[in-house]
Amino acid sequence: MIRVTVSEAAIDMAAAITALDGLGGGAVATFTGLVRGDDGVGELLLEHYPGATEAALEKLATEAVVRWRLAGAIVIHRIGAMKPGEPIVFVAACATHRSAALEACGFLIDRLKTDAPFWKRETRGGEATWVGERASDHDAAAKWR
Amino acid sequence: MDVLYFAWVREGVGKGQERVDPPSDVVTVADLIDWLGHDVLREKTKLRAAIDQQFVPLDTPLGKAREVAIFPPVTGG
């Protein structure tokens, strides 16, 4: 089972976990990313490339399912305006054993950061700046190749 | 073809999308960026691109591209 959602709506983690719990695996692992309030960020705006984003996430989820023999993988990413502390991204994997589920979650979040067309804009005190890419994100994604 | 812009590239161009018909000597994505002539596209090292929704290097030939997207490095997650 693969489920990919890109939406302005709040992430329903309980529903996602329940869906994976019912697949007959022995392990469900999840990762949740929260909006950070770095240096006084008041609002985060997420822009994306409709169509290409969903395709990129489905490709990653499919790769995870094949590589770790998952029973299921879920990727949910919010778009639009968010406040610090709110969940922005959620990935989850269901596998026979914990190591596969945990590794698949690491793969999904690391590769999502470099492979999916999202852009973050931070607003501090009324001034908006687009977030730049980080070399550490590329290093993290490269270790799964 | 349709050219799409995102994030600060979209803001700099002043629109999210335009339809263009480049001449035959516009062969690669980099050629297209030069031909489009927008100020915000001048520093190509800061730009990334996709042809028909697949990420590609800027030296990729356009071929029969229907949709080309030009944008900054991605920062999701």
Side-chain angles (χ1 to χ4, degrees):
Chain A
M1 181 268 268
I2 288 172
R3 190 181 296 171
V4 164
T5 305
V6 178
S7 164
E8 292 192 10
I11 298 172
D12 188 346
M13 294 178 234
I17 294 166
T18 300
L20 291 176
D21 283 348
L23 296 178
V28 172
T30 74
F31 169 84
T32 307
L34 308 175
V35 176
R36 280 193 310 271
D38 294 350
D39 308 322
V41 170
E43 186 188 84
L44 186 73
L45 189 81
L46 247 291
E47 182 169 326
H48 79 125
Y49 182 172
T53 313
E54 291 84 350
L57 297 180
E58 272 165 31
K59 190 175 165 193
L60 282 180
T62 303
E63 193 176 332
V65 164
V66 171
R67 187 161 164 182
W68 284 280
R69 299 170 182 275
L70 303 177
I74 292 179
V75 180
I76 305 173
H77 204 300
R78 282 187 69 197
I79 52 171
M82 281 160 257
K83 300 285 185 201
E86 290 183 28
I88 175 172
V89 61
F90 174 86
V91 303
C94 176
T96 308
H97 297 289
R98 69 183 182 282
S99 60
L102 288 165
E103 278 187 30
C105 282
F107 164 88
L108 285 168
I109 189 61
D110 285 343
R111 289 281 301 276
L112 179 153
K113 284 187 168 272
T114 59
D115 291 21
F118 290 103
W119 299 274
K120 287 191 182 108
R121 195 190 74 180
E122 297 172 336
T123 302
R124 292 180 181 82
E127 195 169 323
T129 51
W130 290 95
V131 173
E133 70 177 335
R134 291 182 354 175
S136 59
D137 287 342
H138 284 273
D139 295 343
K143 73 175 189 255
W144 297 107
R145 291 187 194 281
Chain B
M1 68 178 67
D2 290 316
V3 183
L4 275 56
Y5 306 107
F6 294 100
W8 55 256
V9 175
R10 172 181 53 72
E11 291 178 341
V13 172
K15 54 189 160 189
Q17 188 168 351
E18 60 183 326
R19 180 156 286 183
V20 300
D21 187 11
S24 59
D25 61 343
V26 172
V27 177
T28 66
V29 176
D31 294 342
L32 177 68
I33 289 170
D34 290 334
W35 179 79
L36 287 164
H38 299 297
D39 278 351
V40 71
L41 302 179
R42 213 172 284 163
E43 277 189 78
K44 285 208 249 343
T45 56
K46 293 183 176 175
L47 300 176
R48 303 292 181 269
I51 293 178
D52 293 330
Q53 306 203 345
Q54 300 290 320
F55 288 13
V56 294
L58 298 191
D59 60 0
T60 306
L62 294 166
K64 295 189 188 320
R66 282 166 300 166
E67 181 176 291
V68 179
I70 303 168
F71 45 79
V74 300
T75 55

